[in-house]
Amino acid sequence: MKVKGKYMKSILSVAMLAVALCGCTGKDDTLKMITEATFPPYEFLRGQEIVGIDVEICRAVAQRLNRPFKAETVDFDSVIPAVISGKADLAAAGITITEDRKKNVDFSIPYVKTGIVVISKKSNLFQTTDQLKGKKIGVQSGTTSENYVLEQLQQEPERSKSPAEAVAALKAGRVAFVIADIDPAKNCVKGDDELALSDFITSEEYAVAIRKGQPELLAAINATIAELKANGTLAKWIADFTAESDSLKDK
Ligand code: ARG
């Protein structure tokens, strides 16, 4: 018994030393953002670094909470599951608020009003949604564009990993049209004389999504977004990251 007690004590002191060296309570306090970084200007890669409007919003939440911050990118289908399972704290990926998603996550107040558009070749210019019926339509997997094809057009879309990949399929003639959110769509079409963008075919709003039942975290996110909107910071980020992602295209 005595030996065992001593043994336990030394294990405990090693553990306590580890905690002290780590400078924390053993719990990782990092606020983890999950995103899908092929969606400029909201999130894209600057070299290896994930940057964009959504990243700055989440970093500002971490600053408010005085917590370290980290962003990670996965396929868009895996973004919302990552906050549900607790692998990440904040999902921010130009995520549209939908009734379906509201069943599984809580949404912050919206930070952008937007929608999806049709990208077409000028040689087969999109004018009315009748043109979409029965055609191969490229979308990013897991998005509201995919839902539009499934629900409004009642047909199977051609799924891609990113808006840019869907646009490459359009250019190669593998799909007739692409549906995507307007800002990444604008980025894809920029500098390409062959392609055109339609007006909005839906009206949507982006928000940050978190695991349900975290009123304090939700309040912190909402306060951050309200402040960034009111003081002009959000508008500045939109302008700056649009310019940066457009210029990355010119290279
Ligand atoms: N707004 C659309 C949606 O919520 C598309 C978002 C795609 N975002 C991304 N980072 N790839 O379904």
Side-chain angles (χ1 to χ4, degrees):
M1 240 6 240
K2 219 178 165 192
V3 175
K4 204 179 176 193
K6 246 189 184 169
Y7 188 51
M8 281 298 290
K9 242 189 188 169
S10 53
I11 288 183
L12 260 178
S13 47
V14 168
M16 279 162 65
L17 182 67
V19 166
L21 286 176
C22 165
C24 61
T25 54
K27 191 175 147 261
D28 180 8
D29 200 33
T30 302
L31 189 75
K32 293 192 210 101
M33 166 195 186
I34 194 86
T35 190
E36 192 286 315
T38 69
F39 200 77
Y42 294 92
E43 43 270 334
F44 55 99
L45 295 178
R46 180 197 288 149
Q48 301 278 56
E49 194 189 354
I50 305 167
V51 298
I53 299 154
D54 290 340
V55 182
E56 292 314 314
I57 292 173
C58 292
R59 195 194 314 279
V61 173
Q63 270 161 7
R64 172 179 292 265
L65 297 172
N66 223 336
R67 290 170 63 176
F69 173 72
K70 198 179 127 198
E72 198 188 320
T73 177
V74 293
D75 285 350
F76 187 68
D77 312 86
S78 303
V79 169
I80 287 183
V83 289
I84 296 173
S85 71
K87 261 186 237 153
D89 303 294
L90 310 177
I95 301 173
T96 300
I97 303 172
T98 68
E99 289 310 312
D100 246 18
R101 290 171 178 166
K102 273 192 199 166
K103 292 177 196 155
N104 299 313
V105 288
D106 283 341
F107 279 105
S108 69
I109 56 169
Y111 58 87
V112 179
K113 274 195 194 318
T114 182
I116 60 179
V117 297
V118 180
I119 309 172
S120 62
K121 280 193 176 165
K122 285 181 184 159
S123 57
N124 178 36
L125 190 66
F126 170 82
Q127 276 148 327
T128 95
T129 48
D130 296 341
Q131 279 170 277
L132 302 174
K133 281 269 167 205
K135 296 285 164 40
K136 285 197 172 174
I137 300 177
V139 298
Q140 183 178 23
S141 189
T143 59
T144 47
S145 297
E146 174 181 304
N147 282 346
Y148 182 92
V149 178
L150 289 169
E151 283 157 26
Q152 306 298 314
L153 305 174
Q154 304 265 321
Q155 61 194 51
E156 275 299 312
E158 300 289 316
R159 296 173 177 86
S160 293
K161 291 260 182 210
S162 67
E165 196 183 302
V167 170
L170 174 66
K171 298 223 10 132
R174 291 194 299 273
V175 299
F177 300 101
V178 167
I179 302 183
D181 293 48
I182 189 159
D183 298 299
K186 272 187 183 162
N187 182 265
C188 284
V189 163
K190 190 183 177 276
D192 192 323
D193 290 338
E194 206 192 4
L195 300 176
L197 285 188
S198 75
D199 291 333
F200 287 121
I201 57 170
T202 63
S203 162
E204 308 185 11
E205 286 180 321
Y206 295 161
V208 177
I210 63 171
R211 181 163 40 81
K212 278 185 176 282
Q214 304 179 89
E216 282 176 20
L217 180 57
L218 195 61
I221 301 167
N222 286 344
T224 305
I225 292 174
E227 194 175 292
L228 295 170
K229 277 182 177 175
N231 67 17
T233 305
L234 183 61
K236 186 182 183 310
W237 286 341
I238 293 174
D240 289 353
F241 285 110
T242 301
E244 180 179 352
S245 53
D246 282 354
S247 79
L248 283 176
K249 273 220 73 179
D250 297 335
K251 285 184 186 159

